[in-house]
Amino acid sequence: MIDPMFWLGLSLLLVAVSLTAVLIAALPALQALGRAARSLEKLADTLSREFPPTLEAIRLTGMEISDLTDEVAEGVQSANQVVKQVDRGIGGAKQQAEQLRIGTGSVWTGIRVAWKTWTRKRDSDPPSLPSEHLKDPKRIGDRE
């Protein structure tokens, strides 16, 4: 048993058995690694097909959003101008209403004064002047 060739052969046999056991144990891992590589290859193919159109769609969506933003800004400007016009119209209507109120107040004041004057004359009608007094203004002053 001291023969070196025996030990060398036994060592080589044990190394071969160990390597076989490692390969048998590593075989499922290598198969899983192969499946993962094929799956990664399919994913890369899908991405290479789908990614450029997706990027183009995103770019077009960005442009559409930019256009819509511009349109909304124009709409807001138009609405702002309409609001300003309505505000000016309301201001003009207020001025006209104030002028109407002043005019109406003046008319009512005139009507009240006329009514008071008319009712006062009816209550205290002075005697009518003879026609000769109408021709001579000095005589009218004497009478008063």
Side-chain angles (χ1 to χ4, degrees):
M1 289 241 173
I2 298 209
D3 187 22
M5 287 304 274
F6 171 76
W7 289 112
L8 180 66
L10 184 64
S11 296
L12 286 177
L13 179 68
L14 288 175
V15 168
V17 168
S18 297
L19 283 176
T20 305
V22 167
L23 285 176
I24 289 173
L27 192 59
L30 291 175
Q31 288 174 345
L33 198 61
R35 283 192 302 267
R38 282 190 297 278
S39 178
L40 183 62
E41 184 180 358
K42 287 180 184 178
L43 178 64
D45 287 342
T46 302
L47 284 177
S48 67
R49 280 193 320 268
E50 298 294 327
F51 201 59
T54 302
L55 287 177
E56 180 67 19
I58 290 171
R59 187 182 68 80
L60 289 174
T61 302
M63 290 173 56
E64 288 174 359
I65 289 172
S66 177
D67 292 344
L68 287 174
T69 302
D70 292 342
E71 288 177 15
V72 167
E74 289 174 8
V76 167
Q77 260 184 339
S78 292
N80 190 17
Q81 290 175 353
V82 168
V83 167
K84 285 180 182 178
Q85 288 176 349
V86 167
D87 191 38
R88 278 183 283 208
I90 289 173
K94 283 182 181 179
Q95 285 179 341
Q96 289 177 355
E98 183 64 24
Q99 289 173 354
L100 179 65
R101 187 188 64 79
I102 292 170
T104 304
S106 299
V107 167
W108 282 112
T109 303
I111 290 172
R112 277 196 310 253
V113 168
W115 180 256
K116 286 180 183 177
T117 305
W118 188 63
T119 56
R120 188 178 58 200
K121 279 189 175 183
R122 290 187 76 202
D123 293 345
S124 61
D125 275 340
S128 60
L129 295 174
S131 62
E132 58 192 46
H133 289 285
L134 292 175
K135 293 179 184 174
D136 189 5
K138 290 182 186 176
R139 295 185 102 191
I140 293 175
D142 291 343
R143 182 155 194 227
E144 292 178 358

